[in-house]
Amino acid sequence: MIYAFLNQKGGVGKTTLSIHTAAELSNRGRRVLLIDADPQGSSLGWSNHRETADFTVVGMAKATIHKEIESLARDYDDVVIDGPPRVTELARSIILAADIVIIPLQPSPMDVWAAAETVDLVREAQMFNPEIKCCLALNRKIANTAIGRDVREALKELDVPILKSDIGQRVAFAESAASGTTVLDQKRSKAANEIKRFVDELRRLP
């Protein structure tokens, strides 16, 4: 399966969710390739600090991913793509390469507007490949706040599935990024449980 994390807005947590999805899939015995397709190279930077190589991370910020994905994915069960911000030919190439496009967003009006633009890109690609799936994922959500509920209501207008497994605003994600680890290394943490539920839901998508 090829999972692509995309949103034309930066700072929504694409890299965090890409790394943790790859790590959780690897923990489940899957052979995983994480493609860092963001010119900023954050996933690659994280991997350079990681002591264990439980999955493969490569950099490929080129608008030819859709043409090369078959050969790239040949030796893996799953591929996770950490996409760039902004609408570019690279983003379009990533969408065409993906089985599922996950659009992370924070609970804010600006993130909803940016998500809508990314959904439009996906729909454009679906004209060439109707099999491409798309879903929205709420990230950095602050528990028990009205804005989380309000955003879900606003997102219904996009007519795209919204994952039920929200990811909370937790210091553990920032701390793990700095040390080349993941929250999954703290097996019983709330953050780890959120990631596990998130990946469970991704894998159940029809």
Side-chain angles (χ1 to χ4, degrees):
M1 188 65 72
I2 301 169
Y3 304 91
F5 288 83
L6 273 177
N7 190 322
Q8 73 114 10
K9 184 177 180 294
V12 296
K14 292 185 297 292
T15 297
T16 297
L17 291 181
S18 296
I19 288 171
H20 281 83
T21 297
E24 175 60 16
L25 289 168
S26 176
N27 286 348
R28 299 181 186 199
R30 310 282 290 176
R31 295 169 300 166
V32 181
L33 171 66
L34 173 57
I35 298 176
D36 188 343
D38 186 342
Q40 294 180 19
S42 299
S43 290
L44 272 175
W46 171 86
S47 71
N48 289 336
H49 288 89
R50 186 156 179 80
E51 295 180 0
T52 57
D54 36 9
F55 55 91
T56 304
V57 184
V58 299
M60 189 180 180
K62 300 194 308 183
T64 54
I65 288 180
H66 66 293
K67 297 178 180 177
E68 302 180 46
I69 193 65
E70 188 174 341
S71 59
L72 289 168
R74 186 173 295 135
D75 297 326
Y76 299 92
D77 300 312
D78 298 304
V79 177
V80 178
I81 305 175
D82 179 11
R86 298 179 297 280
V87 174
T88 62
E89 290 307 309
L90 173 56
R92 289 183 170 89
S93 178
I94 291 168
I95 293 169
L96 288 171
D99 295 311
I100 301 173
V101 177
I102 304 104
I103 304 174
L105 68 155
Q106 298 180 94
S108 81
M110 287 180 290
D111 282 44
V112 173
W113 300 331
E117 294 186 31
T118 310
V119 169
D120 288 343
L121 266 189
V122 174
R123 288 189 172 130
E124 179 185 301
Q126 287 171 333
M127 295 174 66
F128 300 95
N129 180 5
E131 299 299 314
I132 299 171
K133 298 181 181 71
C134 179
C135 64
L136 303 165
L138 277 179
N139 190 34
R140 296 177 179 162
K141 180 182 175 183
I142 300 174
N144 302 318
T145 56
I147 191 168
R149 296 189 295 273
D150 294 344
V151 164
R152 279 189 171 275
E153 196 62 33
L155 289 173
K156 289 179 181 178
E157 295 182 8
L158 299 182
D159 196 27
V160 172
I162 309 167
L163 297 182
K164 296 177 182 177
S165 307
D166 299 341
I167 304 298
Q169 173 78 293
R170 301 191 186 281
V171 174
F173 287 108
E175 290 176 343
S176 67
S179 59
T181 61
T182 72
V183 299
L184 298 165
D185 297 326
Q186 304 165 17
K187 299 187 185 301
R188 296 185 180 180
S189 72
K190 290 181 178 179
N193 288 334
E194 286 178 349
I195 291 297
K196 290 173 184 177
R197 288 195 295 268
F198 177 81
V199 172
D200 282 342
E201 191 172 359
L202 275 185
R203 298 197 69 192
R204 289 196 303 266
L205 285 174

